[in-house]
Every structure is written in structure tokens, then in C-alpha cells.
Amino acid sequence: MLIDGVEITAVGLENFTAQEAQNYIDYVRGQVTTPLKSVKVKMCDDGKVDVSYLAKGEKFERIRRITGR
């Protein structure tokens, strides 16, 4: 499901609503400063929820290493 420009996947959660998805996205955005690409929410066996995310990386320019040899 796509919420606010972020792809969110729920594993093991029944009746996962758009509001719950938005809450998880807001939580992750509060923890990281980079723009989010996707969020995965998974229900664990112990009743806790595992939240993982993938952020959009900024483009960088590779700088050649100079060793002086």
C-alpha cells in the first residue's frame, strides 16, 4: 500500500488500516531525517512489532583515493 509517498508492507497483521500505516510512517519519520522510500511492519512471535525502513539515499560523487605511492 502506498501512503504519503511511502510504500508500506504489513506482514502478519490482520486488518491493517491506512491510519495504522500512517502512524508507523510518522513514527519512523520522527526517528530518521532522510526521506523514506519504504517501511515494512512485521508481527513477531512474542507479540511485538518489528519495523524496518529503506531510506532514499542522496547521490554522491566518488572521490578517488590518493595514497601517494
Side-chain angles (χ1 to χ4, degrees), residues 35-66:
L36 294 176
K37 186 173 186 179
S38 65
V39 174
K40 182 178 178 182
V41 181
K42 179 182 174 188
M43 180 62 78
C44 297
D45 293 333
D46 60 359
K48 295 182 181 179
V49 178
D50 181 36
V51 180
S52 58
Y53 68 92
L54 180 63
K56 296 178 184 176
E58 294 188 25
K59 296 187 179 197
F60 67 94
E61 181 178 332
R62 182 175 295 273
I63 301 173
R64 193 173 72 165
R65 186 180 200 179
I66 301 173

Side-chain angles (χ1 to χ4, degrees), residues 1 3-4 6-32 34 36-44 47-54:
M1 134 180 9
I3 303 287
D4 199 19
V6 178
E7 181 66 32
I8 186 158
T9 306
V11 177
L13 295 170
E14 297 178 16
N15 303 325
F16 192 67
T17 65
Q19 181 59 46
E20 288 175 313
Q22 185 65 53
N23 290 342
Y24 282 112
I25 291 171
D26 292 341
Y27 171 76
V28 174
R29 282 185 174 156
Q31 303 296 316
V32 298
T34 56
L36 294 176
K37 186 173 186 179
S38 65
V39 174
K40 182 178 178 182
V41 181
K42 179 182 174 188
M43 180 62 78
C44 297
K48 295 182 181 179
V49 178
D50 181 36
V51 180
S52 58
Y53 68 92
L54 180 63

